[in-house]
Amino acid sequence: MFLDTLADHCRNQPDKIAIQFINRPPVTYGELEIAVNRTSNFLLSLGIQPGDRVAVQLPKSLPFIYFHLAAAQISAIFLPLNPDYPMAELRYFLADSSARLLFADRRKQPEIDAIASDLPTLERTLFLDPAEDWESQIADCSAERHSPMPTDPNQTAMMLYTSGTTSRPKGALITHGNLTANIASLHEAWGWRGDDMLLHALPIFHVHGLVVALHGALHAGATAILLPTFDAAMALELLLSRRFSVFMGVPTMHRRLYQLAGDQRYDLSFMRLITSGSDRLPDDLFFGYQETFKVTLLERYGMTETGMNLSNPLLGERRVGSVGPPLPGVSARIVDPASETPLPDDEVGEVQIKGAHVFKGYWGQPQKTAEAFTPDGWLRTGDMGLREPDGYYTLKGRAKDLIITGGLNVYPPEVELALMRHPAVAACAVIGCPDDEWGEQVVAAVIPRDGAVPNEAEICAFCREQLAAYKAPRRVVFVDEFPANALGKIQKAKLRETLCE
Ligand code: MCA
């Protein structure tokens, strides 16, 4: 399993650097093992049992990584939360998951203390300053492992919340077996090596940054250098230092690097792997990157419920606009969305996925879990696509109305719910409008209440109090009515035509 491979690296190469935050002291594999064991023992001393949910809402930091690995090691369920979630969202995730323990940023203590009384299952919140030295706080805990490593592949390692177009966010349960299967197939497909150096600039509360990037490097016994947040100028300077062999990003990050380069030409061809994912890679960026950096981006396709499914090859053609063939151990098919019968090549249908990497279900939602799978066990991704005769897949659309901005999914109903709480809003509809930098931007169309004089900035700010910043509308347009079909249902495609510039 993934944790066993990591333990082997810790034993076999204790002096090698495992992770290092930029401009901070490095952490070797030997030190990582000690810190994770101490953190595990700390969690055990708090009474954390297998299956308990351990929530973490901290910036990208060493303690975050230790809590993650330690929770997984003692068979607890790690629940990472975006530091940007305001209290309304945080309260929902903590209540729904009935987390027993929360690690949070000390700066948020007053706000979190205020919601804690609504959360009877949350026994304890520990506040940390992420910059402070966590290791010294657990120096009294034993550096030996005192609990058996998880051996059941069906044991849940972490849960990650994903939204839906019709429901509140659901906790996707990712097992140790899922993580192990996914990382093994990526290891094979992307040729991870012990001497790889990863520049890690992604957030680590998602599968992309946590599993694909960080686990990828640790599973290989390689070194990950982490930026706490993405800074294009710093990332470009580091990439040009010729130290790195692997870098992973979302199109918005690649767009910023490309724009930063301007007319300059750079040679990053010494890097063996630069990936793009979480949103479709625009063709102009694919070609522009090639010209500017002498690198062909490798586009791949994944989702929270599965980790990575499809990927352009490391060697061989990285095809523009395509997400490549299935990864080793992954089965994919294209079906007619109505009958769910497989379609011939080149015909567009729903992408369905099967494999040991596919999650086991949604926390406490057997009905939603059942709906996610076909009777014979294929995961319904909700994404549309086609298979070319040579086995490459191309995505052709996504679950109805889903917006992707900067590589993050936004589901309009969540935003609409927030907007409807505003006294000046009589009705609203949220859409994504194309945007060069972000892929899409969240735009709200609002019908004001009679007599109300709503203000765009104030409505945006109102949403941000309830929603993470990336979900809040960037633009609010006031309208008298919405385009609707005969049944009165808002036609969002028409709305996009009129409102997107
Ligand atoms: C930040 N902001 C955003 C986003 N990120 N708004 C919309 N969409 C976003 N994604 C807000 C900030 O709060 C800020 O608001 C304003 O935009 C500008 O912030 P800025 O500093 O420019 O942004 P940033 O902090 O540099 O972040 C941009 C980013 C980031 C680096 C592209 O969004 C990011 O790291 N995205 C990667 C997401 C990711 O890892 N996705 C994987 C999930 P204000 O100025 O008003 O305060 S999907 C996944 O895991 C599956 C498995 C997969 O296939 O990968």
Side-chain angles (χ1 to χ4, degrees), residues 219-254:
H219 179 81
T223 298
I225 305 292
L226 295 99
L227 300 182
T229 54
F230 177 69
D231 172 330
M234 185 187 273
L236 183 57
E237 192 184 317
L238 286 165
L239 291 173
L240 293 170
S241 71
R242 302 188 70 89
R243 289 172 72 199
F244 295 96
S245 55
V246 182
F247 175 64
M248 298 180 182
V250 300
T252 302
M253 291 158 87
H254 292 306

Side-chain angles (χ1 to χ4, degrees), residues 118-140:
D118 297 349
L119 298 163
T121 51
L122 183 67
E123 287 168 19
R124 201 162 179 163
T125 302
L126 289 164
F127 293 99
L128 263 74
D129 174 350
E132 82 198 21
D133 178 14
W134 168 251
E135 287 86 336
S136 66
Q137 297 185 43
I138 49 166
D140 291 345

Side-chain angles (χ1 to χ4, degrees), residues 102-162:
L102 167 68
F103 290 98
D105 192 325
R106 184 159 291 145
R107 286 167 296 189
K108 293 200 171 150
Q109 181 157 6
E111 292 166 275
I112 291 179
D113 282 346
I115 60 165
S117 54
D118 297 349
L119 298 163
T121 51
L122 183 67
E123 287 168 19
R124 201 162 179 163
T125 302
L126 289 164
F127 293 99
L128 263 74
D129 174 350
E132 82 198 21
D133 178 14
W134 168 251
E135 287 86 336
S136 66
Q137 297 185 43
I138 49 166
D140 291 345
C141 297
S142 163
E144 301 297 317
R145 193 157 41 78
H146 289 309
S147 63
M149 285 285 212
T151 50
D152 177 2
N154 211 29
Q155 162 78 46
T156 303
M158 54 191 209
M159 73 193 260
L160 295 172
Y161 275 90
T162 69

Side-chain angles (χ1 to χ4, degrees), residues 250-251 254 276 279-286 297-299 320-321:
V250 300
H254 292 306
S276 180
D279 191 9
R280 195 191 168 300
L281 178 64
D283 292 2
D284 76 298
L285 187 54
F286 178 94
L297 288 169
L298 179 147
E299 190 174 3
V320 63

